């Protein structure tokens, strides 16, 4: 599960411990009805909902299913590396789950919610690698009726035994498209009722169409411009001054105005969204300063500039962002010809997948989890209500999405302090220091956060969405 398409499909049938609230954040609307920590947040107890059954055989959901799922998550990482370990979950009875953590964590419920899409609860006897159309089950409102992989078309019908009661629609069909432009065209032609997401570059006209409802769920969506901070050894991006130079050379306002037509806000080279209560607003914003960029390059020993291919996938507006970045960097002597590849290939060849844990190249070791990632590239990150996933999977030493190969004991310690904080004051102290460490080290540039946009026909009502691509149809009606 790497993208919004798979999240949307699988979450029709499977559900999470922690669900979606009306405010766009987490709530007790899924498989757990309540949860609470112990005094130091090293243990969390969840109570499961009554009357939940599996689609395939009608057997009840029990704490054993949840414990087995959590064990599988721990074994492969799944956003919980260092949070809890396989075998650490207790099941005192069929409806009680007690999670014993490796370290204190004040945001644990987020990591077992729909904002960590890999945490879907599966049966105790499930095997990693099983696909939904081979084992049609789940606890959710919809049962997979048909799946055509050649056209990426999945049809669901109501689960008559869903714990939430009856739904309004007779069926829901999810249809994949080969580009944002073709999906927008299909929506405009009335071929589909809901457009899961659209970019300004493809669908700006939808914003002012009176027959269209545009949904804007809370969004910390961003595009991360990463640098391989360790490889090749001695390469220009192993020097933080070069990485800082890129940060100063990028015209963030140009991207916000040109690519997003104002539907985005400037960011400050860390993934902490400004509306969070522990965001430190005293940190000075990194400005657009080409002269500073040139000076930093000269200080780093590159007065005549550098050259490196900028690797990107063909997802949405990312190629348009890359074109502006290339233009901005050229102005200060950094030549970055853009290479655009199909997004599915991009993840495997230039980002992290297939470049794991000391195998590519052979010399990689601890602190180089993505040894074969590109020297510089742009990758997409979907919304999370807290930055735990952005910190823990993209920046922590040895993390599975750490395409920067960033290894900082200082950052790791501050992240641990943030996770262990149980109040806003403690979180703010750690996060303020994290913001400054990332600003100084610049393992990646975070230029902006952008609005997530979903479009629905005015005939559709009751749709709930997240900025991670979830679409909840339980309460949807279509006139």
């Amino acid at each position: 599960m790497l993208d919004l398409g798979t999240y949307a499909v699988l979450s029709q049938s499977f559900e999470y411990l922690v669900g979606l609230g009306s405010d766009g954040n987490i709530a007790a609307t899924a498989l757990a009805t309540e949860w609470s920590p112990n005094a130091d947040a090293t243990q969390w107890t969840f109570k499961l909902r009554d009357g939940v059954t599996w689609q395939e055989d009608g057997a009840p959901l029990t704490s054993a299913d949840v414990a087995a799922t959590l064990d599988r998550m721990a074994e492969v990482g799944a956003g919980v590396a260092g949070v809890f370990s396989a075998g650490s979950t207790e099941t005192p009875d069929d409806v009680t789950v007690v999670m014993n953590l490796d370290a204190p964590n004040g945001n644990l419920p987020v990591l077992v919610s729909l904002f960590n899409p890999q945490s879907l609860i599966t049966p105790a006897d499930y095997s990693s690698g099983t696909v939904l159309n081979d084992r049609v089950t789940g606890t959710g409102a919809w049962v997979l009726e048909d799946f055509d992989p050649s056209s990426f078309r999945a049809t669901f019908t109501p689960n008559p035994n869903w714990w939430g009661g009856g739904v309004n629609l007779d069926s829901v069909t999810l249809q994949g498209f080969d580009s944002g432009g073709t999906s927008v065209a299909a929506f405009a032609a009335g071929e589909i009722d809901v457009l899961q997401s659209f970019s300004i570059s493809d669908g700006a006209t939808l914003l002012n169409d009176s027959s269209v409802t545009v949904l804007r769920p809370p969004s910390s969506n961003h595009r991360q411009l990463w640098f391989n901070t360790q490889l090749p050894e001695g390469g220009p991006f192993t020097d933080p001054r070069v990485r800082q130079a890129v940060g100063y050379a990028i015209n963030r306002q140009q991207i916000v105005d040109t690519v997003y037509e104002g539907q985005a806000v400037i960011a400050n080279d860390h993934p902490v969204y400004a509306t969070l209560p522990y965001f430190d607003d005293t940190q000075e914003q990194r400005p657009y300063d080409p002269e500073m960029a040139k000076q930093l390059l000269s200080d780093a020993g590159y007065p005549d500039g550098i050259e490196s291919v900028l690797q990107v996938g063909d997802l949405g507006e990312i190629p348009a962002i890359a074109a502006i970045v290339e233009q901005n960097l050229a102005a200060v002597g950094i030549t970055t010809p853009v290479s655009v590849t199909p997004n599915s290939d991009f993840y495997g060849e230039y980002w992290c997948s297939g470049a794991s844990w000391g195998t590519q190249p052979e010399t990689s070791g601890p602190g180089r989890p993505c040894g074969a990632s590109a020297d510089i590239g742009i990758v997409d990150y979907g919304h999370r209500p807290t930055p735990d996933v952005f910190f823990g999977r993209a920046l922590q030493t040895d993390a599975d999405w750490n395409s920067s190969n960033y290894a900082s004991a200082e950052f790791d310690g501050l992240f641990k302090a943030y996770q262990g904080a149980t109040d806003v004051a403690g979180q703010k102290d750690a996060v303020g220091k994290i913001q400054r460490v990332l600003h100084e080290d610049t393992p990646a540039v975070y230029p902006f956060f952008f609005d997530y946009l979903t479009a629905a026909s005015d005939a559709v009502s009751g749709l709930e969405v997240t900025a991670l691509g979830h679409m909840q149809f339980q309460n949807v009606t279509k006139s």
Side-chain angles (χ1 to χ4, degrees):
M1 294 172 63
L2 281 173
D3 54 44
L4 278 62
T6 49
Y7 301 164
V9 171
L10 294 183
S11 61
Q12 302 307 318
S13 291
F14 288 110
E15 296 177 292
Y16 301 88
L17 267 184
V18 178
L20 180 67
S22 58
D23 62 354
N25 293 309
I26 63 171
T29 56
L31 297 179
T33 57
E34 58 182 273
W35 49 85
S36 59
N38 63 355
D40 63 358
T42 57
Q43 184 185 79
W44 284 79
T45 300
F46 293 78
K47 289 294 185 179
L48 300 183
R49 188 177 300 278
D50 291 330
V52 180
T53 58
W54 294 105
Q55 294 171 2
E56 61 185 345
D57 57 10
L61 168 78
T62 71
S63 57
D65 298 309
V66 176
T69 300
L70 296 174
D71 285 349
R72 287 189 285 269
M73 288 177 63
E75 288 165 1
V76 299
V80 296
V83 179
F84 58 85
S85 301
S88 64
T89 299
E90 300 175 23
T91 56
D93 57 54
D94 283 350
V95 296
T96 305
V97 176
V98 179
M99 297 180 63
N100 298 297
L101 309 188
D102 297 343
N105 194 305
N107 287 326
L108 189 278
V110 174
L111 299 180
V112 289
S113 77
L114 75 174
F115 292 112
N116 182 9
Q118 285 80 5
S119 68
L120 287 162
I121 302 301
T122 49
D125 63 347
Y126 216 68
S127 299
S128 295
T130 303
V131 293
L132 180 59
N133 50 316
D134 281 348
R135 185 174 178 183
V136 180
T137 193
T139 59
W142 304 94
V143 180
L144 182 68
E145 184 73 17
D146 182 66
F147 176 60
D148 180 359
S150 63
S151 63
F152 197 89
R153 187 178 179 91
T155 299
F156 296 84
T157 53
N159 173 9
N161 300 313
W162 182 50
W163 58 266
V167 296
N168 300 309
L169 302 176
D170 295 325
S171 68
V172 170
T173 297
L174 303 183
Q175 173 65 60
F177 291 88
D178 59 8
S179 71
T182 55
S183 64
V184 169
F187 179 78
E191 297 171 9
I192 57 177
D193 301 296
V194 173
L195 190 57
Q196 181 194 34
S197 68
F198 67 93
S199 65
I200 294 294
S201 59
D202 294 321
T205 57
L206 300 178
L207 296 175
N208 300 309
D209 189 331
S210 61
S211 67
V212 176
T213 300
V214 176
L215 304 178
R216 291 180 173 85
S219 173
S220 58
N221 278 293
H222 59 270
R223 304 309 187 203
Q224 183 210 62
L225 189 152
W226 85 82
F227 309 99
N228 194 327
T229 63
Q230 295 197 57
L231 298 170
E233 293 181 1
F237 295 119
T238 63
D239 190 322
R241 292 170 294 185
V242 175
R243 305 194 296 263
Q244 291 171 14
V246 172
Y248 283 108
I250 293 176
N251 189 335
R252 300 159 199 252
Q253 193 64 54
Q254 180 185 5
I255 296 174
V256 169
D257 293 342
T258 304
V259 178
Y260 291 101
E261 297 189 11
Q263 307 292 313
V265 296
I266 288 175
N268 201 17
D269 296 339
H270 58 73
V272 186
Y273 198 64
T275 60
L276 291 170
Y278 40 77
F279 174 79
D280 185 351
D281 60 4
T282 65
Q283 182 186 22
E284 184 178 351
Q285 172 67 46
R286 176 167 282 156
Y288 172 52
D289 190 342
E291 294 307 313
M292 174 65 81
K294 292 176 184 178
Q295 184 62 54
L296 285 165
L297 285 174
S298 180
D299 293 346
Y302 300 99
D304 298 322
I306 60 175
E307 180 173 352
S308 185
V309 175
L310 177 61
Q311 298 287 353
V312 301
D314 61 354
L315 178 68
E317 79 292 357
I318 289 181
I321 296 168
I324 293 176
V325 170
E326 180 183 15
Q327 178 191 59
N328 291 164
L329 297 187
V332 303
I334 303 174
T335 303
T336 53
V338 178
S339 173
V340 182
T341 58
N343 215 48
S344 56
D345 296 332
F346 164 80
Y347 285 125
E349 294 180 20
Y350 300 111
W351 183 62
C352 274
S353 296
S356 60
W357 299 92
T359 60
Q360 298 183 33
E362 292 180 359
T363 55
S364 70
R368 294 178 178 177
C370 300
S373 66
D375 295 353
I376 182 172
I378 301 175
V379 69
D380 56 297
Y381 273 90
H383 169 71
R384 302 314 196 276
T386 68
D388 295 58
V389 168
F390 305 144
F391 290 158
R393 301 194 74 173
L395 295 167
Q396 189 175 27
T397 301
D398 280 334
D400 57 345
W401 290 353
N402 187 348
S403 52
S404 296
N405 290 313
Y406 182 50
S408 166
E410 183 179 14
F411 169 82
D412 293 345
L414 290 170
F415 176 45
K416 185 176 181 179
Y418 156 74
Q419 285 187 304
T422 56
D423 58 19
V424 171
Q427 291 175 326
K428 186 164 187 174
D429 179 68
V431 166
K433 294 172 182 175
I434 286 172
Q435 290 179 199
R436 285 164 172 76
V437 167
L438 295 179
H439 202 264
E440 181 67 22
D441 290 350
T442 321
V445 168
Y446 297 80
F448 54 82
F449 296 99
F450 66 94
D451 289 354
Y452 182 93
L453 304 170
T454 293
S457 159
D458 59 5
V460 172
S461 62
L463 177 67
E464 294 179 289
V465 300
T466 73
L468 258 178
H470 298 95
M471 296 183 290
Q472 298 195 340
F473 295 99
Q474 297 95 308
N475 299 314
V476 169
T477 59
K478 178 185 173 184
S479 60

